[in-house]
Amino acid sequence: MTLEKFVPEVKAPKNGKTWHSLSSEEILHELNTATDLGLSSAEAERRLQEHGPNQLKEAPPTTFWQMLWEQFNNFVVIMLIVASVISAILGEWVEASAILAIVVLNSALGVIQERRAEQALAALRKLAAPEAHVIRDGSRQVVPATQLVPGDLVLLEAGNFIPADLRLIEAINLRIEEAALTGESVPVQKDASIRLEADIPLGDRKNTAFMGTVVNYGRGKGIVVSTGMHTQIGLIAEMLQSVEQEATPLQRRLDELGKTLGWAALAICALVFAVGWLRGYEPLHMFM
């Protein structure tokens, strides 16, 4: 099963163009790019200001206080905090301190685990920002992938990460590993000379290379048609960020179990308190 069943890649991108249905000459004319010279440095800078950097926008990171609140926003934890406060009011400082220490330790471990997970993701995002070999001012240059703009001519060789969505204009035995995007188990053979239907599925676009995939074999040349959040992987990232996080079935069951055990414990305590009080024990002693 591939992502094509879940993501509307067959629709036109946000810029309204279906680049795979155009010829190489039409795309070069549309993006005002010379086959041999590429863009000038001045034009590339102007387009960078217009389109923004070639990078995925990230959702605001979870703050420390938000992570801490998630650790305390639990029925059992709230019940323990209430028990700790009551113990402190009644002068039972040892019990109050022990309960509070357990709650604080549990919350601290939860926050540390979430923070480490975010740091690991941040490290992976840095690795996913390679350099790109482009033709600018008529010469081959190496620029950060974040500075690519629509119209840039990108040179591809085996082992290169595709830095943006490209319409191929040259492909010599070019095969690209697209498993991360389409789920294809084998590298896809590319052909820059063909024109495709506008509504052809993502996995069948043989004249296009997509951001985040890897050149497996051969070499080629492509013109950048989409960058950043306008790429296919950017559309997926935008959809993922727009989905609200929901608790997993296991988390919901554990939460229900915690509430059930908590209310059961309170009911048993109330029963013991009532029986002890009826048998003549002091109410404060039975409460504790």
Side-chain angles (χ1 to χ4, degrees), residues 26-267:
E26 290 173 330
I27 293 176
L28 290 168
H29 176 74
E30 184 76 23
L31 294 174
N32 194 22
T33 303
T35 307
D36 299 324
L37 300 178
L39 298 176
S40 65
S41 299
E43 177 63 16
E45 180 63 27
R46 187 193 69 79
R47 295 190 185 189
L48 182 62
Q49 296 298 324
E50 178 183 351
H51 296 277
N54 176 38
Q55 59 188 16
L56 302 182
K57 295 180 181 179
E58 302 172 9
T62 305
T63 64
F64 170 79
W65 298 110
Q66 289 174 327
M67 289 189 290
L68 190 62
W69 169 250
E70 290 178 358
Q71 303 303 318
F72 283 102
N73 189 23
N74 180 278
F75 178 80
V76 176
V77 173
I78 294 174
M79 188 174 66
L80 290 174
I81 294 174
V82 172
S84 176
V85 172
I86 294 176
S87 297
I89 292 175
L90 297 177
E92 301 291 339
W93 297 106
V94 176
E95 288 82 355
S97 300
I99 297 173
L100 191 60
I102 293 173
V103 172
V104 171
L105 180 61
N106 174 74
S107 301
L109 290 175
V111 170
I112 291 173
Q113 288 177 342
E114 290 194 23
R115 184 65 71 183
R116 286 180 176 177
E118 287 191 352
Q119 291 174 349
L121 290 174
L124 290 176
R125 284 193 291 266
K126 290 181 181 179
L127 292 177
E131 296 177 329
H133 295 261
V134 301
I135 297 178
R136 286 186 181 175
D137 298 317
S139 62
R140 178 168 180 160
Q141 302 179 20
V142 179
V143 300
T146 56
Q147 295 183 8
L148 289 179
V149 296
D152 260 326
L153 286 178
V154 179
L155 303 175
L156 302 176
E157 297 175 348
N160 289 163
F161 282 91
I162 306 298
D165 281 5
L166 311 176
R167 171 57 166 90
L168 298 172
I169 60 175
E170 180 181 301
I172 303 175
N173 296 324
L174 183 63
R175 299 174 193 167
I176 297 180
E177 180 67 58
E178 296 182 345
L181 185 64
T182 65
E184 291 287 347
S185 59
V186 295
V188 179
Q189 182 76 43
K190 296 295 183 177
D191 185 352
S193 62
I194 60 176
R195 296 179 61 173
L196 302 171
E197 298 294 331
D199 59 350
I200 194 169
L202 183 67
D204 295 331
R205 298 180 187 176
K206 308 296 185 181
N207 59 4
T208 308
F210 302 103
M211 182 180 185
T213 58
V214 184
V215 178
N216 179 269
Y217 185 81
R219 58 189 177 89
K221 182 191 297 183
I223 182 169
V224 176
V225 294
S226 299
T227 59
M229 296 302 288
H230 290 171
T231 62
Q232 292 296 332
I233 199 170
L235 297 178
I236 296 175
E238 184 177 10
M239 292 180 66
L240 292 176
Q241 292 176 10
S242 64
V243 175
E244 295 182 0
Q245 292 186 355
E246 296 183 358
T248 64
L250 178 60
Q251 289 174 323
R252 290 195 294 267
R253 292 293 297 275
L254 289 175
D255 188 54
E256 293 174 359
L257 177 62
K259 291 180 180 179
T260 301
L261 293 177
W263 286 115
L266 292 175

